[in-house]
Amino acid sequence: MIKVAQCWDDGVLNDIRLTDLCRKYNAKATFNLNPALHLANKRITDGWQFRDTGYYPGKLAWNEVKSVYEGFDVASHTMCHCNAGDVDDQVFLTEAVGAKMILEDLFQKECTGFAWPCGKYTPKTVDLLQAAGFTYGRTVKNTDRVSGFEHPMILHSSCHFLNPNFWDAFETAKNTDGIFYFWGHSYEMMDDEMLWQEFENKLQRLSENPEVQWISTTELVK
C-alpha cells in the first residue's frame, strides 16, 4: 500500500479543469488559496504572465470558489501571497490566519493546512503559525521520505508534478515510508493539451493502481 497526496497553489482558472479530472478519478487534493487576490464577482483574465510564455493564468471569481473546490480540502496560502521574511512576522501571521478564517467561513469546515508562498519560511513564522493552529506548512523542497519531517510546519513533498522523474520518485516513496506527495500549479499546464493529457495519464495510472490510497495532506501529517 502507498498513500498518495497532492496539492495545488493559487486558485487559478485552470483549477476548474483540474478539479474535474480529480473528480473523474476520485483523487483527493488540497488547494492552497489567497482570498484577497480574487475579485468578488468577476474572473481575472490578465495581469501576471507565466514565464514570458504569453499565457495569463487568471484567477477564479470569489463567488465561484466554493463550487469549484467543493469536496476537496482547501488551505491557507496567505491573503495576498506574501513571503515569510519579506514582511514583518506579525503581518505575515495576520495574512496566514486571515486566509484561514475566510476559508473556514466559506466552506464551513476547519482549515488547518498551509502552503508557504514561494516556499519561504523563517524559524519565527514556523512557530507563530503552529501556535495559531496550523497543522502543517508545505515547502517547495523535495524529500525521499515525506514522513521524516522534523517539524510539521516544514513539510517537504516527494516532487513537483512536472518532475521528469515523477515515477522514479513514486517508486522511491513506495519503498521507503509508503507516502508519495506531489504539488504544483495547474497554470503550468497552460492550454497545452499534451501536458494535460500527460497529467491525466498520471491520475489514471495512480487511481487504477490497487496499492494506491488517495489521502489529503492533512491526513498525511496525522
Side-chain angles (χ1 to χ4, degrees):
M1 179 66 69
I2 178 167
K3 296 179 179 180
V4 178
Q6 60 175 321
C7 71
W8 302 85
D9 297 353
D10 297 350
V12 294
L13 294 174
N14 298 63
D15 283 354
I16 297 172
R17 184 170 181 177
L18 177 61
T19 52
D20 284 344
L21 284 175
C22 288
R23 291 186 180 101
K24 178 178 178 179
Y25 294 102
N26 295 312
K28 289 186 177 182
T30 300
F31 292 89
N32 309 305
L33 307 178
N34 312 104
L37 297 184
H38 298 265
L39 297 178
N41 303 303
K42 181 181 178 182
R43 292 179 178 181
I44 299 172
T45 56
D46 56 8
W48 176 74
Q49 183 181 155
F50 175 48
R51 294 178 183 170
D52 299 320
T53 59
Y55 186 80
Y56 295 89
K59 303 282 283 187
L60 294 163
W62 186 249
N63 66 356
E64 62 184 338
V65 164
K66 190 174 189 295
S67 63
V68 170
Y69 299 114
E70 193 67 54
F72 296 101
D73 277 5
V74 293
S76 170
H77 200 35
T78 74
M79 291 291 291
C80 298
H81 206 282
C82 62
N83 296 335
D86 292 349
V87 298
D88 180 82
D89 290 341
Q90 290 299 323
V91 171
F92 188 83
L93 175 64
T94 299
E95 282 262 333
V97 174
K100 177 181 187 294
M101 294 174 64
I102 288 174
L103 292 170
E104 288 179 337
D105 182 62
L106 179 64
F107 288 92
Q108 290 296 295
K109 63 180 181 180
E110 192 175 32
C111 170
T112 61
F114 187 76
W116 298 98
C118 299
K120 294 183 178 181
Y121 56 89
T122 67
K124 182 63 174 179
T125 52
V126 163
D127 291 340
L128 285 172
L129 265 60
Q130 185 177 46
F134 289 99
T135 56
Y136 72 84
R138 195 216 74 221
T139 73
V140 296
K141 296 179 181 178
N142 296 341
T143 179
D144 290 339
R145 191 178 182 86
V146 172
S147 66
F149 54 84
E150 295 183 5
H151 196 299
M153 292 306 302
I154 307 176
L155 177 66
H156 305 322
S157 64
S158 303
C159 68
H160 186 273
F161 83 106
L162 286 176
N163 189 318
N165 298 314
F166 182 91
W167 291 113
D168 290 337
F170 174 83
E171 289 299 326
T172 296
K174 181 180 175 181
N175 294 321
T176 53
D177 62 351
I179 296 174
F180 182 58
Y181 179 32
F182 63 91
W183 73 282
H185 311 87
S186 61
Y187 64 71
E188 293 174 272
M189 291 182 279
M190 301 177 284
D191 288 327
D192 188 323
E193 289 303 320
M194 184 177 72
L195 289 177
W196 280 100
Q197 188 59 58
E198 287 176 355
F199 178 67
E200 180 170 0
N201 291 344
K202 288 174 182 174
L203 281 185
Q204 183 174 8
R205 179 171 167 182
L206 288 167
S207 294
E208 290 180 351
N209 185 336
E211 293 187 306
V212 165
Q213 176 190 356
W214 286 102
I215 62 170
S216 67
T217 311
T218 302
E219 291 173 304
L220 185 159
V221 295
K222 286 181 180 178

